[in-house]
Amino acid sequence: MVMGALDKYVDGSKRDEALRWKERYEKANKLADEGKFDEAVILCQQNLDWSLKTLGTKHNCTVSDQEALAQAFYSVKNFEEARKLDLAALTTRILVEGTDPPSKELLEVQLNLAQDYVGLKKYKEAAKIYEDVYKGYKDNDIQALKIAYDLAACWHHLRDYAKSRDLNQLVLEQRIKLGASEEQIAQSREALKQNLKRIEAVGKKEEAAEKKKAEEEAEKKEKKEKASLARKPEHEGKAAEKSESETKTTAKMKATEGEKTETKAADQRKANEAAEKKRLEEVEARALERERLAKETRFKERAEKSSAALKARMEEVEADRAISREFAKASREWGVEQKPIRWKMVDPHTPSSPIPIPMINVEKPQQKRWSAPKSDVNFLGGPSPGIPSSNNQSISRPRARSQDARDTTEKIQFRHISRSDIFSQLGSVQAGSSSSEVGDKSLPMPGSWVPSKPAQEGQSQFGTAPPRRQNKTPENSKKEPDQKAPSLALKPEQAFKSTPDLSRSRSLNNRKEKEAVPARAKSVSVTPVEKRAKSLETEQSTGEQHYSQLFDAKGGKNDDDSTFAARSWFRALELETQKLLLPLRRSNGKRVKIAILDTGVDLSHPDFKEDQSASRMNRRIKPPEDFLDVGGKAHDTCGHGTHGVGLLRKVAPEADIYVARVAKDFDGILDPEVVAKAIDRACSTGKCSEGKKNWNVDIITMSFGLYQISPIVRTAIRHALARPVLVFAAASNNGTRRDIAFPASMTGVFCINSASGDGGRSSFNPELKPDKTFSIIGENVRSTWTTHGNGDLHRLMSGTSVATPIAAAVAALVLEYVLQNDPESFLIKHLDEFKEYDGMSKIFSLMSKHRDGYKNIVPWEVLTAVGARRSITGRIEWEMKGFEGQ
């Protein structure tokens, strides 16, 4: 702590004396420059006598005179007097100014004192001072390297040649790096040469001493053997007995120790197995509990939505009935007999139109405006209300099978009247349902009454007439399976186009046999090219989606705002987070392992050339493995996987990356067995059944999704979570048209949504779920692209599949920071908790900013070079202790 400063005030009455002091000081400096040190000593002594007598010991002039006189004594090689004066000046400065932080003048006095000790050949004291001063320098600049050079010289004189050699080697490398003068570089090389020479000489001396010692021991041994031979007959019997006894004792002790060791090892193995089993049970229990809570939450949400939908449906039905009553009342006032609206009971499992619309009878064009219809038979085949028959009997006739079978004079033209038309006739307006999907918030309540469906093209216009049965052709002569409700992915207009009656519309999952997708989608690598092309043509023609896909929304936008936001995000990551981790990164230390399951990687890309040119052990991108084609190179011809690997290298440059090729391109259908096999290889230890070494990774990232749960993939992911391993998956890019895809929807898996560079939500994100709210930059991100395409080596991409590897790489940065701590620290002891969902989600929440309902991950909110490492570690420990309930 700075305590104060030396007094610099001189009384005005002593002005003339002070001026003479200044003249003597300047003259002494001039004489010292000319090499006349004896005369300079006299002048400096006169100044010191005057300042001690007039100003005192704590005045700046007094300390300066002591330092100047010490320098003069040092020049005339009076090192003892120089040491005394420098020590007095140093003591005064420490007493007045303090040492934290040390001033520039204080450091100079310390260095002068060290030089005095060197002159007195007291190298131990000099080395201690040099070492204290060298530790005070944070950066290795030219001045610090000079001090380190002098410190190495002191160690050399103290015969600590190895220590001096290491320091001289460091000084030489730094001087070359900083571009020091040739003289300084030559001095370092000469000092290093002297160190090596001394080390060699010491080695030879020690070798000679050992040789001499060995000769003396051999001579003593020879004398001892001669004496022993003389006494051999006497001691042979005793020696044999003693040797036998010792052999038996030793054998017995070894047997006992072996039994104890085996027992201890067995107990330790049992204890380890029990502890591991208990830990796995706890992890599985936590996972099951999270899954149970998630299921309860989803069930509760569905129940609430269903209740709200039923309530809205009842209100709509009641409103429709009120409309019918009002319409009937209005018709009576106009003097027209109102035909009743025919309602029918709807099966609760049969889909209905989003807006229930009654069929309204409209007069024939030939009739007068207020005349009744000629026909006395209503649309149900019975007599019309209010029109009795001639014989007071109910008049009925067979209902025609179609409108074409009726007489031309009996054809009545109808038009479809919507609810808004009815409201406009009654003078009121009411908003209708806005649901865009069949069955979404418009499913009828079981047992409720709804109007008949609107007539289709080619169908009878009567409200109760059945649809005309189509003639069966040889292609559809087989009996079709039971129809199911239409898929929620169909729009209302698509549903009407695909089938003549909504009650007969079918689910996407129940196509005809010739269009059916197998229960388990096959890998694109084992499907014949002709069949795959035909399948893709069929799906594109019908407008249907794949069951699985790579999640890329589109290419990046080429506008300045989006590009600037993305570049700013990565710039901030480099200046704050990477700068924090860079000083303690070790090339030979433990590294974080990431497995990316994608379309492979193009290792011929120029950005990967430097990494692939390193030794096999030091490569960050490990040899990729092809799970689609046995013996394949896992080469990426699509670009999706290369883009993801480039992002991992960009965000987590020190992580080991293991690439698994599980997909061929954007149009390929993923094979769940291939995905599960890749996950098992990534998270397992030892060797697999094929004899290949497993990867034992810390993180798995998957930028794809399945639209149905795969049991084999779910089992593999649960096995990975129990290791523990962090699993990341892309949410999907279908917006609110689809829910979160599998495995991102699975409990314990990080579901990653996309965000813009400034943290705003992406429009292609799926519907937000309470426990799936993490997002990170995924728009307009530039990364590597395959060289197999049109020559573009980099490409801007957007999508949750872009955000997913970035989030996985941020998790790798968190683990890297943990691994940089002391082995006995809290973070290292609880490393496994960081590799569990609950632990890492705590850290993600700590570094997140809430926006649009999402937790947008901002790494430098925690891992920043602006703050002290101690503060960062404290925040992380606090979160983890809260996670443990401590």
Side-chain angles (χ1 to χ4, degrees):
M1 182 181 293
V2 177
M3 300 175 63
L6 294 173
D7 187 13
K8 296 183 181 180
Y9 174 75
V10 178
D11 192 358
S13 61
K14 300 175 182 178
R15 175 179 175 82
D16 295 337
E17 296 179 6
L19 292 175
R20 287 194 294 273
W21 175 88
K22 184 176 181 180
E23 291 177 0
R24 288 194 297 270
Y25 184 81
E26 293 175 350
K27 187 176 181 180
N29 288 335
K30 186 176 181 181
L31 291 172
D33 294 338
E34 295 174 355
K36 300 177 181 180
F37 299 110
D38 294 331
E39 298 179 13
V41 167
I42 295 173
L43 293 176
C44 290
Q45 186 65 56
Q46 292 175 359
N47 276 351
L48 179 59
D49 294 339
W50 177 82
S51 57
L52 285 173
K53 181 179 178 182
T54 307
L55 303 176
T57 58
K58 296 183 180 180
H59 198 277
N60 185 60
C61 293
T62 304
V63 176
S64 299
D65 289 338
Q66 288 174 337
E67 295 171 356
L69 183 57
Q71 186 66 31
F73 276 131
Y74 183 84
S75 300
V76 298
K77 298 185 179 181
N78 191 349
F79 302 119
E80 182 60 29
E81 291 297 329
R83 182 192 68 79
K84 292 179 181 178
L85 290 169
D86 282 331
L87 184 60
L90 177 63
T91 304
T92 303
R93 286 192 180 276
I94 292 174
L95 182 63
V96 176
E97 296 177 349
T99 60
D100 189 15
S103 63
K104 181 178 179 182
E105 293 80 5
L106 180 62
L107 295 176
E108 290 178 355
V109 176
Q110 286 181 303
L111 295 176
N112 292 337
L113 182 59
Q115 292 176 358
D116 297 336
Y117 280 119
V118 171
L120 294 172
K121 297 183 178 181
K122 296 182 179 181
Y123 300 110
K124 187 175 181 180
E125 290 81 358
K128 186 177 183 304
I129 295 175
Y130 277 132
E131 190 171 3
D132 291 340
V133 175
Y134 180 64
K135 289 180 179 178
Y137 282 86
K138 296 182 179 179
D139 299 324
N140 283 331
D141 54 7
I142 299 298
Q143 180 63 24
L145 294 177
K146 176 64 173 63
I147 298 171
Y149 174 81
D150 294 336
L151 175 59
C154 292
W155 284 343
H156 181 82
H157 285 292
L158 292 172
R159 299 183 179 181
D160 194 349
Y161 303 119
K163 200 172 181 181
S164 177
R165 176 199 60 194
D166 296 339
L167 187 55
N168 275 324
Q169 181 67 36
L170 176 63
V171 172
L172 176 60
E173 293 175 354
Q174 293 296 323
R175 281 181 171 177
I176 294 174
K177 182 178 179 181
L178 295 175
S181 64
E182 292 295 332
E183 182 181 357
Q184 292 178 339
I185 294 175
Q187 288 177 352
S188 296
R189 286 175 176 166
E190 182 63 25
L192 185 60
K193 184 178 179 182
Q194 291 296 328
N195 293 145
L196 296 175
K197 186 177 179 181
R198 286 291 184 180
I199 291 173
E200 184 179 359
V202 170
K204 290 181 179 179
K205 187 175 180 180
E206 291 177 352
E207 184 178 353
E210 290 178 358
K211 186 177 180 181
K212 185 178 180 180
K213 185 178 180 181
E215 291 176 354
E216 291 177 354
E217 290 180 353
E219 186 178 354
K220 290 180 180 180
K221 186 176 182 181
E222 185 178 357
K223 291 180 180 179
K224 188 175 181 181
E225 286 178 354
K226 289 180 180 180
S228 178
L229 288 174
R231 294 191 299 269
K232 185 175 181 180
E234 299 178 4
H235 299 288
E236 273 186 356
K238 293 182 180 179
E241 293 177 1
K242 186 177 180 181
S243 177
E244 185 178 358
S245 176
E246 289 178 353
T247 302
K248 291 180 179 180
T249 304
T250 303
K252 186 176 180 180
M253 290 178 62
K254 286 183 178 179
T256 305
E257 290 178 357
E259 292 177 358
K260 290 182 179 179
T261 303
E262 291 179 359
T263 304
K264 187 176 180 180
D267 294 340
Q268 184 64 30
R269 284 195 300 271
K270 291 181 180 179
N272 292 340
E273 291 175 358
E276 180 67 13
K277 182 178 180 181
K278 183 178 179 181
R279 189 185 69 81
L280 292 176
E281 289 177 352
E282 292 176 352
V283 171
E284 183 69 17
R286 289 200 297 270
L288 292 175
E289 179 64 17
R290 289 194 300 269
E291 189 171 357
R292 184 186 66 79
L293 293 176
K295 286 182 178 179
E296 290 181 356
T297 303
R298 291 194 295 269
F299 180 79
K300 185 177 180 181
E301 291 177 353
R302 287 197 296 268
E304 291 176 353
K305 288 182 179 180
S306 177
S307 177
L310 290 177
K311 183 177 179 181
R313 180 64 192 148
M314 293 175 66
E315 292 176 354
E316 289 180 0
V317 171
E318 186 62 30
D320 290 338
R321 292 177 177 175
I323 291 170
S324 300
R325 291 193 294 269
E326 292 292 333
F327 191 79
K329 181 179 179 181
S331 299
R332 286 194 298 271
E333 292 176 356
W334 296 338
V336 178
E337 181 179 359
Q338 171 63 28
K339 297 293 182 180
I341 298 175
R342 300 299 176 184
W343 307 84
K344 74 173 184 177
M345 180 68 73
V346 177
D347 185 358
H349 300 289
T350 302
S352 64
S353 173
I355 302 177
I357 303 173
M359 295 300 296
I360 308 299
N361 296 339
V362 183
E363 63 182 352
K364 297 180 183 179
Q366 295 82 1
Q367 288 180 317
K368 294 181 181 181
R369 183 175 182 181
W370 302 114
S371 63
K374 293 180 180 181
S375 176
D376 57 354
V377 179
N378 66 2
F379 298 145
L380 295 178
S384 300
I387 303 178
S389 62
S390 59
N391 55 358
N392 295 329
Q393 297 286 332
S394 297
I395 300 175
S396 63
R397 64 179 176 180
R399 183 172 56 189
R401 297 190 60 84
S402 67
Q403 187 175 353
D404 297 336
R406 298 178 184 270
D407 186 77
T408 56
T409 59
E410 292 296 324
K411 290 182 181 179
I412 303 175
Q413 299 204 9
F414 296 85
R415 65 184 179 93
H416 179 71
I417 302 178
S418 64
R419 291 171 59 182
S420 59
D421 295 334
I422 298 174
F423 290 149
S424 62
Q425 292 180 13
L426 298 177
S428 62
V429 179
Q430 179 176 348
S433 174
S434 62
S435 174
S436 62
E437 297 182 0
V438 177
D440 186 18
K441 299 183 180 180
S442 61
L443 293 177
M445 182 178 65
S448 62
W449 291 89
V450 298
S452 300
K453 294 180 293 295
Q456 304 290 334
E457 182 179 357
Q459 180 180 341
S460 174
Q461 300 293 330
F462 295 102
T464 57
R468 182 168 54 192
R469 187 180 303 275
Q470 298 178 357
N471 295 329
K472 293 186 177 180
T473 63
E475 294 180 357
N476 58 4
S477 59
K478 295 182 180 180
K479 185 178 180 180
E480 295 182 357
D482 295 338
Q483 307 293 342
K484 294 186 179 181
S487 171
L488 296 181
L490 287 174
K491 299 293 183 181
E493 60 271 21
Q494 293 173 336
F496 277 101
K497 289 179 182 179
S498 61
T499 177
D501 191 344
L502 280 177
S503 64
R504 296 176 60 83
S505 62
R506 294 157 51 200
S507 171
L508 286 176
N509 295 337
N510 285 332
R511 304 188 185 109
K512 294 181 180 179
E513 292 182 358
K514 64 179 182 179
E515 299 176 354
V517 176
R520 179 182 61 79
K522 298 295 184 181
S523 170
V524 294
S525 64
V526 296
T527 303
V529 177
E530 296 80 0
K531 291 183 178 181
R532 187 161 65 247
K534 183 176 181 182
S535 175
L536 293 176
E537 183 180 357
T538 302
E539 290 178 352
Q540 291 172 359
S541 64
T542 57
E544 295 172 347
Q545 297 284 344
H546 292 310
Y547 281 90
S548 57
Q549 68 179 52
L550 302 175
F551 286 145
D552 285 281
K554 54 187 176 180
K557 295 180 289 186
N558 193 19
D559 61 277
D560 294 339
D561 292 341
S562 300
T563 304
F564 178 77
R567 289 180 178 177
S568 299
W569 194 95
F570 284 99
R571 181 63 175 167
L573 180 74
E574 179 181 358
L575 293 179
E576 298 197 35
T577 304
Q578 302 290 4
K579 187 176 180 181
L580 169 71
L581 299 172
L582 183 61
L584 294 182
R585 277 177 174 161
R586 297 170 292 177
S587 60
N588 58 349
K590 179 175 175 57
R591 297 196 291 265
V592 182
K593 297 180 179 180
I594 308 175
I596 176 171
L597 279 59
D598 217 289
T599 61
V601 63
D602 185 358
L603 292 180
S604 63
H605 196 282
D607 287 5
F608 303 149
K609 183 177 180 180
E610 181 179 357
D611 176 70
Q612 293 303 303
S613 62
S615 63
R616 188 180 183 89
M617 182 178 296
N618 290 328
R619 292 177 190 170
R620 296 299 183 265
I621 304 178
K622 302 303 179 181
E625 186 167 347
D626 199 326
F627 289 85
L628 285 179
D629 301 324
V630 178
K633 301 288 186 180
H635 184 72
D636 180 21
T637 59
C638 166
H640 189 270
T642 304
H643 197 273
V645 173
L647 291 175
L648 293 177
R649 290 282 296 135
K650 189 173 185 179
V651 179
E654 285 300 309
D656 285 343
I657 301 173
Y658 295 81
V659 182
R661 182 172 179 260
V662 298
K664 183 176 181 181
D665 50 33
F666 291 100
D667 298 325
I669 300 177
L670 295 172
D671 187 345
E673 290 184 358
V674 171
V675 176
K677 183 178 179 181
I679 294 173
D680 288 336
R681 175 69 56 80
C683 69
S684 300
T685 58
K687 294 184 177 181
C688 66
S689 59
E690 301 174 1
K692 297 180 181 179
K693 185 178 180 181
N694 291 318
W695 299 341
N696 190 24
V697 300
D698 305 299
I699 301 170
I700 298 176
T701 173
M702 297 176 286
S703 294
F704 56 81
L706 308 174
Y707 292 132
Q708 57 185 358
I709 295 176
S710 170
I712 188 172
V713 176
R714 179 173 57 188
T715 302
I717 291 177
R718 284 179 175 175
H719 173 65
L721 295 176
R723 293 297 308 171
V725 175
L726 296 172
V727 181
F728 290 79
S732 94
N733 290 338
N734 296 308
T736 57
R737 292 175 297 167
R738 286 189 182 272
D739 288 334
I740 296 173
F742 177 84
S745 61
M746 186 174 171
T747 302
V749 175
F750 281 94
C751 171
I752 302 303
N753 296 278
S754 174
S756 60
D758 56 4
R761 70 177 297 273
S762 298
S763 60
F764 46 78
N765 285 343
E767 183 179 356
L768 187 63
K769 299 295 183 182
D771 56 339
K772 303 290 182 180
T773 58
F774 286 117
S775 69
I776 201 168
I777 181 173
E779 288 189 16
N780 221 40
V781 179
R782 182 180 181 86
S783 184
T784 51
W785 198 255
T786 179
T787 57
H788 187 74
N790 56 3
D792 295 335
L793 298 181
H794 298 84
R795 186 172 293 186
L796 296 175
M797 293 297 291
S798 299
T800 56
S801 65
V802 178
T804 302
I806 296 177
V810 171
L813 295 180
V814 175
L815 296 180
E816 181 182 355
Y817 180 83
V818 173
L819 292 172
Q820 287 183 355
N821 283 266
D822 185 77
E824 298 299 324
S825 66
F826 174 88
L827 300 186
I828 293 294
K829 290 181 179 179
H830 294 75
L831 178 61
D832 281 349
E833 277 81 349
F834 286 95
K835 294 196 290 184
E836 293 182 359
Y837 178 87
D838 290 340
M840 184 58 68
S841 62
K842 284 285 186 181
I843 306 303
F844 276 3
S845 298
L846 186 63
M847 61 172 55
S848 295
K849 289 186 176 180
H850 294 262
R851 183 170 179 181
D852 300 330
Y854 291 89
K855 294 180 180 178
N856 184 249
I857 301 172
V858 183
W860 52 89
E861 283 295 310
V862 176
L863 302 179
T864 174
V866 177
R869 292 183 68 93
R870 184 176 180 182
S871 175
I872 297 172
T873 304
R875 292 182 65 191
I876 296 176
E877 286 185 7
W878 180 265
E879 286 296 324
M880 296 306 293
K881 288 178 179 178
F883 159 62
E884 292 179 346
Q886 296 180 2

